Amino acid sequence: MPYALLAPAVVLELVIHLVPMLTGIWMSFTQLTRFFIRSWTSAPFVGLDNYRVALDIDGAVGRSLLNSFAITCAYTVIVVGVSWVLGMAAAVALQRPFRSRSGFRTLFLVPYALPVYAGIVTWNFMLQRDSGVINHLLVDNLGVLEERPFWLIGGYAFISILVVAVWRMWPFAFLMLTAGLQSIPNDIYEAAAVDGAHAFRSWRSITLPMLRPVNLVLVLVMFLWVFNDFNTPYILFGTAQPAAGDLISFHIYNASFLTWNFGAGAAMSVLLLLFLLLVTGTYLIVMNRRSRRA
């Protein structure tokens, strides 16, 4: 009976995840270009040539992939860090009951509840140079800027995608941390207050240690989601992605579907998978060792 109950989930996992992943790995060893799309199984086998091209930083392909990887690393660190800080601040602020607390919680979760496409398209309109509300507010109303910047092209594109990504991600951090705070008894905080501990000391000595299991999973999940983020750059910039917003997921998409070199794109995807597995494994090992020492 247990195997019979697990069988549908195992079959779906094989069909949806494992088979496409193995197919992509096989494609990475072939010269699958537009000339073999009609009969992709007959693409010539090239071994590790696609990986050599992708990892050759002296070549144009490897150099552009390395630049995209660096941009994605900076993007991930900033988005995860800022989202966690905002989520923690909001969760702690709404930990104690007060009037309208439910209303604030609902308001904070709106970006996470909105459909991805609708939310990012709205930001696309807001960030337009001539008709966007952001430039209208900063230039016409507040006078912070003298000229209207192009938020979706050039160097400002990185700032724009950071703002949109944080806006989408921090409510998830807030939701997870709020759920974790519900498991901390109020008696501990009351005892700390009696001993003279101020708010920051209580947060550092009580909240953070007791939220360690939640933060362990939360940071890892946000890292994987943000590093693999494809929807945000694709919807925000379209196919004409600026260099400052060249995230690696969209870079691999361009390498596959714009140049029609699916073998090279598959090799880049496999390299990305190996990197994420390495980071995830290292992170879990380090965190587990620290938990055992604690």
Side-chain angles (χ1 to χ4, degrees):
M1 180 60 68
Y3 296 103
L5 295 175
L6 289 174
V10 173
V11 171
L12 288 176
E13 183 69 23
L14 291 174
V15 174
I16 297 175
H17 291 108
L18 188 59
V19 173
M21 183 179 67
L22 294 177
T23 304
I25 294 175
W26 174 82
M27 288 170 53
S28 67
F29 296 105
T30 64
Q31 191 179 358
L32 182 58
T33 61
R34 58 182 176 179
F35 302 106
F36 300 96
I37 293 298
R38 185 179 296 274
S39 180
W40 59 276
T41 56
S42 62
F45 184 81
V46 294
L48 298 175
D49 287 352
N50 290 325
Y51 293 93
R52 294 191 187 98
V53 173
L55 295 175
D56 183 15
I57 59 176
D58 294 328
V61 176
R63 187 165 52 250
S64 62
L65 181 63
L66 180 62
N67 179 69
S68 175
F69 177 76
I71 293 174
T72 307
C73 288
Y75 168 80
T76 303
V77 170
I78 296 174
V79 171
V80 172
V82 175
S83 298
W84 184 88
V85 170
L86 293 177
M88 176 63 76
V92 172
L94 300 182
Q95 183 178 9
R96 295 183 178 181
F98 62 91
R99 188 177 181 181
S100 303
R101 184 178 67 164
S102 300
F104 279 106
R105 284 181 173 176
T106 304
L107 181 64
F108 289 164
L109 291 176
V110 168
Y112 186 68
L114 280 176
V116 176
Y117 187 86
I120 300 178
V121 165
T122 303
W123 274 102
N124 181 279
F125 283 111
M126 293 171 59
L127 292 169
Q128 294 296 319
R129 180 181 184 271
D130 297 323
S131 58
V133 67
I134 301 297
N135 279 341
H136 179 71
L137 178 65
L138 296 178
V139 178
D140 300 334
N141 293 345
L142 300 179
V144 177
L145 301 176
E146 296 181 358
E147 298 180 355
R148 296 174 179 268
F150 291 92
W151 293 107
L152 299 179
I153 60 176
Y156 287 111
F158 187 71
I159 300 176
S160 300
I161 196 172
L162 283 179
V163 171
V164 176
V166 170
W167 176 81
R168 286 189 56 226
M169 184 56 62
W170 84 266
F172 174 74
F174 163 71
L175 181 64
M176 296 297 293
L177 293 172
T178 299
L181 287 174
Q182 304 305 311
S183 63
I184 304 178
N186 290 328
D187 298 342
I188 302 178
Y189 291 103
E190 294 175 358
V194 172
D195 292 337
H198 49 77
F200 179 77
R201 180 61 183 275
S202 297
W203 175 80
R204 187 183 65 179
S205 301
I206 300 175
T207 305
L208 275 184
M210 300 197 73
L211 284 180
R212 185 183 183 86
V214 176
N215 283 322
L216 176 66
V217 177
L218 175 62
V219 172
L220 179 60
V221 170
M222 289 198 301
F223 166 77
L224 295 175
W225 283 359
V226 175
F227 206 96
N228 284 312
D229 191 9
F230 176 82
N231 293 327
T232 302
Y234 183 78
I235 300 174
L236 189 63
F237 302 121
T239 55
Q241 188 175 11
D246 186 23
L247 300 184
I248 195 166
S249 59
F250 202 74
H251 184 90
I252 295 174
Y253 168 83
N254 289 334
S256 301
F257 292 94
L258 293 187
T259 62
W260 294 90
N261 193 340
F262 295 98
M268 296 178 186
S269 299
V270 173
L271 291 174
L272 176 61
L273 174 63
L274 293 176
F275 169 76
L276 293 177
L277 289 176
L278 177 62
V279 173
T280 302
T282 304
Y283 175 80
L284 292 176
I285 291 174
V286 172
M287 291 296 108
N288 287 334
R289 287 181 178 177
R290 289 185 177 179
S291 299
R292 291 174 183 176
R293 292 176 182 175

